[in-house]
mmCIF file of all heavy atoms in Angstrom:
data_model
loop_
_atom_site.group_PDB
_atom_site.id
_atom_site.type_symbol
_atom_site.label_atom_id
_atom_site.label_comp_id
_atom_site.label_asym_id
_atom_site.label_seq_id
_atom_site.Cartn_x
_atom_site.Cartn_y
_atom_site.Cartn_z
ATOM 1 N N SER Z 25 -79.353 129.894 -24.036
ATOM 2 C CA SER Z 25 -79.862 130.466 -25.287
ATOM 3 C C SER Z 25 -78.729 130.873 -26.211
ATOM 4 O O SER Z 25 -78.709 131.976 -26.769
ATOM 5 C CB SER Z 25 -80.771 131.663 -24.989
ATOM 6 O OG SER Z 25 -81.861 131.278 -24.175
ATOM 7 N N LEU Z 26 -77.789 129.984 -26.371
ATOM 8 C CA LEU Z 26 -76.623 130.285 -27.192
ATOM 9 C C LEU Z 26 -77.006 130.527 -28.641
ATOM 10 O O LEU Z 26 -77.909 129.882 -29.173
ATOM 11 C CB LEU Z 26 -75.611 129.150 -27.106
ATOM 12 C CG LEU Z 26 -74.797 129.119 -25.805
ATOM 13 C CD1 LEU Z 26 -74.132 127.761 -25.618
ATOM 14 C CD2 LEU Z 26 -73.754 130.228 -25.814
ATOM 15 N N GLN Z 27 -76.323 131.454 -29.258
ATOM 16 C CA GLN Z 27 -76.546 131.838 -30.633
ATOM 17 C C GLN Z 27 -75.272 131.624 -31.432
ATOM 18 O O GLN Z 27 -74.182 131.608 -30.870
ATOM 19 C CB GLN Z 27 -76.963 133.313 -30.718
ATOM 20 C CG GLN Z 27 -78.161 133.681 -29.867
ATOM 21 C CD GLN Z 27 -78.372 135.179 -29.766
ATOM 22 O OE1 GLN Z 27 -77.852 135.948 -30.578
ATOM 23 N NE2 GLN Z 27 -79.132 135.598 -28.776
ATOM 24 N N PRO Z 28 -75.384 131.472 -32.751
ATOM 25 C CA PRO Z 28 -74.169 131.328 -33.564
ATOM 26 C C PRO Z 28 -73.176 132.461 -33.359
ATOM 27 O O PRO Z 28 -71.965 132.236 -33.451
ATOM 28 C CB PRO Z 28 -74.713 131.305 -34.993
ATOM 29 C CG PRO Z 28 -76.086 130.739 -34.846
ATOM 30 C CD PRO Z 28 -76.606 131.290 -33.548
ATOM 31 N N GLU Z 29 -73.662 133.653 -33.063
ATOM 32 C CA GLU Z 29 -72.792 134.799 -32.828
ATOM 33 C C GLU Z 29 -71.949 134.642 -31.567
ATOM 34 O O GLU Z 29 -70.994 135.404 -31.369
ATOM 35 C CB GLU Z 29 -73.616 136.087 -32.724
ATOM 36 C CG GLU Z 29 -74.460 136.380 -33.957
ATOM 37 C CD GLU Z 29 -75.762 135.593 -33.965
ATOM 38 O OE1 GLU Z 29 -76.606 135.823 -33.072
ATOM 39 O OE2 GLU Z 29 -75.941 134.748 -34.869
ATOM 40 N N ASP Z 30 -72.284 133.695 -30.710
ATOM 41 C CA ASP Z 30 -71.506 133.436 -29.505
ATOM 42 C C ASP Z 30 -70.302 132.545 -29.774
ATOM 43 O O ASP Z 30 -69.490 132.324 -28.868
ATOM 44 C CB ASP Z 30 -72.378 132.786 -28.430
ATOM 45 C CG ASP Z 30 -73.510 133.686 -27.977
ATOM 46 O OD1 ASP Z 30 -73.270 134.888 -27.755
ATOM 47 O OD2 ASP Z 30 -74.644 133.174 -27.839
ATOM 48 N N THR Z 31 -70.185 132.024 -30.970
ATOM 49 C CA THR Z 31 -69.057 131.177 -31.323
ATOM 50 C C THR Z 31 -67.758 131.951 -31.176
ATOM 51 O O THR Z 31 -67.590 133.014 -31.765
ATOM 52 C CB THR Z 31 -69.198 130.659 -32.757
ATOM 53 O OG1 THR Z 31 -70.356 129.816 -32.843
ATOM 54 C CG2 THR Z 31 -67.971 129.866 -33.176
ATOM 55 N N ALA Z 32 -66.843 131.418 -30.378
ATOM 56 C CA ALA Z 32 -65.586 132.100 -30.115
ATOM 57 C C ALA Z 32 -64.719 131.235 -29.208
ATOM 58 O O ALA Z 32 -65.179 130.242 -28.639
ATOM 59 C CB ALA Z 32 -65.826 133.458 -29.443
ATOM 60 N N MET Z 33 -63.465 131.632 -29.083
ATOM 61 C CA MET Z 33 -62.620 131.103 -28.033
ATOM 62 C C MET Z 33 -62.886 131.934 -26.782
ATOM 63 O O MET Z 33 -62.818 133.167 -26.831
ATOM 64 C CB MET Z 33 -61.152 131.177 -28.427
ATOM 65 C CG MET Z 33 -60.209 130.528 -27.436
ATOM 66 S SD MET Z 33 -60.277 128.720 -27.472
ATOM 67 C CE MET Z 33 -59.414 128.385 -29.015
ATOM 68 N N TYR Z 34 -63.190 131.275 -25.695
ATOM 69 C CA TYR Z 34 -63.501 131.953 -24.449
ATOM 70 C C TYR Z 34 -62.324 131.854 -23.491
ATOM 71 O O TYR Z 34 -61.781 130.769 -23.268
ATOM 72 C CB TYR Z 34 -64.748 131.353 -23.811
ATOM 73 C CG TYR Z 34 -66.022 131.820 -24.472
ATOM 74 C CD1 TYR Z 34 -66.367 131.370 -25.742
ATOM 75 C CD2 TYR Z 34 -66.869 132.730 -23.838
ATOM 76 C CE1 TYR Z 34 -67.520 131.814 -26.367
ATOM 77 C CE2 TYR Z 34 -68.031 133.167 -24.453
ATOM 78 C CZ TYR Z 34 -68.352 132.710 -25.713
ATOM 79 O OH TYR Z 34 -69.507 133.149 -26.328
ATOM 80 N N TYR Z 35 -61.954 132.997 -22.915
ATOM 81 C CA TYR Z 35 -60.801 133.091 -22.041
ATOM 82 C C TYR Z 35 -61.199 133.571 -20.658
ATOM 83 O O TYR Z 35 -62.024 134.475 -20.522
ATOM 84 C CB TYR Z 35 -59.768 134.073 -22.600
ATOM 85 C CG TYR Z 35 -59.198 133.694 -23.942
ATOM 86 C CD1 TYR Z 35 -59.799 134.128 -25.115
ATOM 87 C CD2 TYR Z 35 -58.054 132.914 -24.030
ATOM 88 C CE1 TYR Z 35 -59.271 133.790 -26.351
ATOM 89 C CE2 TYR Z 35 -57.525 132.576 -25.257
ATOM 90 C CZ TYR Z 35 -58.129 133.014 -26.410
ATOM 91 O OH TYR Z 35 -57.608 132.690 -27.636
ATOM 92 N N CYS Z 36 -60.594 133.005 -19.662
ATOM 93 C CA CYS Z 36 -60.697 133.474 -18.294
ATOM 94 C C CYS Z 36 -59.517 134.395 -18.007
ATOM 95 O O CYS Z 36 -58.407 134.159 -18.490
ATOM 96 C CB CYS Z 36 -60.696 132.280 -17.345
ATOM 97 S SG CYS Z 36 -60.796 132.693 -15.600
ATOM 98 N N ALA Z 37 -59.757 135.448 -17.240
ATOM 99 C CA ALA Z 37 -58.700 136.394 -16.927
ATOM 100 C C ALA Z 37 -58.860 136.915 -15.510
ATOM 101 O O ALA Z 37 -59.951 136.879 -14.938
ATOM 102 C CB ALA Z 37 -58.716 137.565 -17.919
ATOM 103 N N ALA Z 38 -57.766 137.419 -14.947
ATOM 104 C CA ALA Z 38 -57.774 137.925 -13.583
ATOM 105 C C ALA Z 38 -56.882 139.155 -13.470
ATOM 106 O O ALA Z 38 -55.907 139.303 -14.212
ATOM 107 C CB ALA Z 38 -57.293 136.850 -12.605
ATOM 108 N N LYS Z 39 -57.227 140.009 -12.529
ATOM 109 C CA LYS Z 39 -56.422 141.183 -12.267
ATOM 110 C C LYS Z 39 -56.734 141.739 -10.896
ATOM 111 O O LYS Z 39 -57.735 141.379 -10.270
ATOM 112 C CB LYS Z 39 -56.653 142.269 -13.328
ATOM 113 C CG LYS Z 39 -57.960 143.026 -13.186
ATOM 114 C CD LYS Z 39 -58.098 144.057 -14.294
ATOM 115 C CE LYS Z 39 -59.261 145.003 -14.068
ATOM 116 N NZ LYS Z 39 -58.947 145.984 -12.988
ATOM 117 N N GLY Z 40 -55.890 142.638 -10.416
ATOM 118 C CA GLY Z 40 -56.175 143.397 -9.226
ATOM 119 C C GLY Z 40 -56.903 144.673 -9.573
ATOM 120 O O GLY Z 40 -57.093 145.009 -10.744
ATOM 121 N N GLY Z 41 -57.321 145.392 -8.541
ATOM 122 C CA GLY Z 41 -57.999 146.648 -8.760
ATOM 123 C C GLY Z 41 -59.459 146.478 -9.137
ATOM 124 O O GLY Z 41 -60.028 145.398 -9.048
ATOM 125 N N MET Z 42 -60.054 147.576 -9.586
ATOM 126 C CA MET Z 42 -61.462 147.572 -9.942
ATOM 127 C C MET Z 42 -61.723 146.759 -11.202
ATOM 128 O O MET Z 42 -60.890 146.687 -12.103
ATOM 129 C CB MET Z 42 -61.964 149.005 -10.130
ATOM 130 C CG MET Z 42 -61.913 149.847 -8.872
ATOM 131 S SD MET Z 42 -62.590 151.503 -9.112
ATOM 132 C CE MET Z 42 -64.295 151.112 -9.490
ATOM 133 N N CYS Z 43 -62.894 146.165 -11.255
ATOM 134 C CA CYS Z 43 -63.268 145.346 -12.392
ATOM 135 C C CYS Z 43 -63.635 146.201 -13.599
ATOM 136 O O CYS Z 43 -64.215 147.282 -13.470
ATOM 137 C CB CYS Z 43 -64.452 144.450 -12.045
ATOM 138 S SG CYS Z 43 -64.057 143.061 -10.976
ATOM 139 N N ASP Z 44 -63.298 145.686 -14.756
ATOM 140 C CA ASP Z 44 -63.725 146.254 -16.020
ATOM 141 C C ASP Z 44 -63.626 145.158 -17.066
ATOM 142 O O ASP Z 44 -63.278 144.018 -16.753
ATOM 143 C CB ASP Z 44 -62.894 147.487 -16.413
ATOM 144 C CG ASP Z 44 -61.402 147.201 -16.504
ATOM 145 O OD1 ASP Z 44 -61.015 146.155 -17.078
ATOM 146 O OD2 ASP Z 44 -60.611 148.027 -16.010
ATOM 147 N N LEU Z 45 -63.941 145.492 -18.301
ATOM 148 C CA LEU Z 45 -63.869 144.518 -19.385
ATOM 149 C C LEU Z 45 -62.910 144.973 -20.468
ATOM 150 O O LEU Z 45 -63.136 144.739 -21.660
ATOM 151 C CB LEU Z 45 -65.262 144.262 -19.962
ATOM 152 C CG LEU Z 45 -66.210 143.476 -19.055
ATOM 153 C CD1 LEU Z 45 -67.587 143.341 -19.697
ATOM 154 C CD2 LEU Z 45 -65.647 142.099 -18.735
ATOM 155 N N ALA Z 46 -61.835 145.603 -20.040
ATOM 156 C CA ALA Z 46 -60.787 146.020 -20.956
ATOM 157 C C ALA Z 46 -59.694 144.958 -20.961
ATOM 158 O O ALA Z 46 -59.007 144.778 -19.954
ATOM 159 C CB ALA Z 46 -60.216 147.370 -20.547
ATOM 160 N N PRO Z 47 -59.511 144.244 -22.063
ATOM 161 C CA PRO Z 47 -58.530 143.147 -22.079
ATOM 162 C C PRO Z 47 -57.128 143.549 -21.666
ATOM 163 O O PRO Z 47 -56.441 142.781 -20.983
ATOM 164 C CB PRO Z 47 -58.566 142.681 -23.542
ATOM 165 C CG PRO Z 47 -59.916 143.068 -24.038
ATOM 166 C CD PRO Z 47 -60.234 144.355 -23.341
ATOM 167 N N ASP Z 48 -56.702 144.743 -22.047
ATOM 168 C CA ASP Z 48 -55.336 145.171 -21.755
ATOM 169 C C ASP Z 48 -55.093 145.387 -20.273
ATOM 170 O O ASP Z 48 -53.939 145.472 -19.850
ATOM 171 C CB ASP Z 48 -55.011 146.452 -22.520
ATOM 172 C CG ASP Z 48 -54.904 146.228 -24.010
ATOM 173 O OD1 ASP Z 48 -54.823 145.057 -24.438
ATOM 174 O OD2 ASP Z 48 -54.895 147.227 -24.754
ATOM 175 N N ASP Z 49 -56.138 145.483 -19.481
ATOM 176 C CA ASP Z 49 -55.990 145.702 -18.046
ATOM 177 C C ASP Z 49 -55.754 144.416 -17.272
ATOM 178 O O ASP Z 49 -55.424 144.481 -16.085
ATOM 179 C CB ASP Z 49 -57.224 146.404 -17.486
ATOM 180 C CG ASP Z 49 -57.350 147.846 -17.943
ATOM 181 O OD1 ASP Z 49 -56.367 148.405 -18.447
ATOM 182 O OD2 ASP Z 49 -58.450 148.408 -17.786
ATOM 183 N N PHE Z 50 -55.909 143.271 -17.904
ATOM 184 C CA PHE Z 50 -55.790 141.998 -17.217
ATOM 185 C C PHE Z 50 -54.403 141.407 -17.407
ATOM 186 O O PHE Z 50 -53.884 141.365 -18.526
ATOM 187 C CB PHE Z 50 -56.856 141.018 -17.703
ATOM 188 C CG PHE Z 50 -58.226 141.329 -17.173
ATOM 189 C CD1 PHE Z 50 -58.974 142.354 -17.708
ATOM 190 C CD2 PHE Z 50 -58.752 140.597 -16.121
ATOM 191 C CE1 PHE Z 50 -60.231 142.660 -17.208
ATOM 192 C CE2 PHE Z 50 -60.007 140.883 -15.616
ATOM 193 C CZ PHE Z 50 -60.746 141.915 -16.157
ATOM 194 N N SER Z 51 -53.831 140.936 -16.318
ATOM 195 C CA SER Z 51 -52.462 140.442 -16.331
ATOM 196 C C SER Z 51 -52.354 138.924 -16.431
ATOM 197 O O SER Z 51 -51.337 138.408 -16.909
ATOM 198 C CB SER Z 51 -51.731 140.911 -15.069
ATOM 199 O OG SER Z 51 -52.417 140.488 -13.896
ATOM 200 N N ASP Z 52 -53.372 138.210 -15.985
ATOM 201 C CA ASP Z 52 -53.339 136.753 -15.957
ATOM 202 C C ASP Z 52 -54.435 136.193 -16.847
ATOM 203 O O ASP Z 52 -55.597 136.585 -16.746
ATOM 204 C CB ASP Z 52 -53.513 136.236 -14.531
ATOM 205 C CG ASP Z 52 -52.419 136.721 -13.601
ATOM 206 O OD1 ASP Z 52 -51.241 136.551 -13.945
ATOM 207 O OD2 ASP Z 52 -52.750 137.279 -12.535
ATOM 208 N N TRP Z 53 -54.052 135.258 -17.699
ATOM 209 C CA TRP Z 53 -54.974 134.693 -18.682
ATOM 210 C C TRP Z 53 -54.859 133.180 -18.757
ATOM 211 O O TRP Z 53 -53.762 132.627 -18.638
ATOM 212 C CB TRP Z 53 -54.685 135.256 -20.080
ATOM 213 C CG TRP Z 53 -54.991 136.704 -20.229
ATOM 214 C CD1 TRP Z 53 -54.181 137.748 -19.901
ATOM 215 C CD2 TRP Z 53 -56.195 137.264 -20.758
ATOM 216 N NE1 TRP Z 53 -54.815 138.938 -20.195
ATOM 217 C CE2 TRP Z 53 -56.045 138.663 -20.719
ATOM 218 C CE3 TRP Z 53 -57.371 136.715 -21.258
ATOM 219 C CZ2 TRP Z 53 -57.043 139.528 -21.167
ATOM 220 C CZ3 TRP Z 53 -58.362 137.572 -21.705
ATOM 221 C CH2 TRP Z 53 -58.191 138.958 -21.654
ATOM 222 N N GLY Z 54 -55.996 132.521 -18.976
ATOM 223 C CA GLY Z 54 -55.977 131.126 -19.342
ATOM 224 C C GLY Z 54 -55.711 130.987 -20.830
ATOM 225 O O GLY Z 54 -55.571 131.972 -21.556
#
C-alpha cells in the first residue's frame, strides 16, 4: 500500500546494543 509520501532513499543500518530508530546510534550503513 505504498503512498507518494513513502518516496525516499531507503537505507539499511546495523548496530550493537538495544534497538531503536535513532540514526545517530547506528554505526554501519548501506
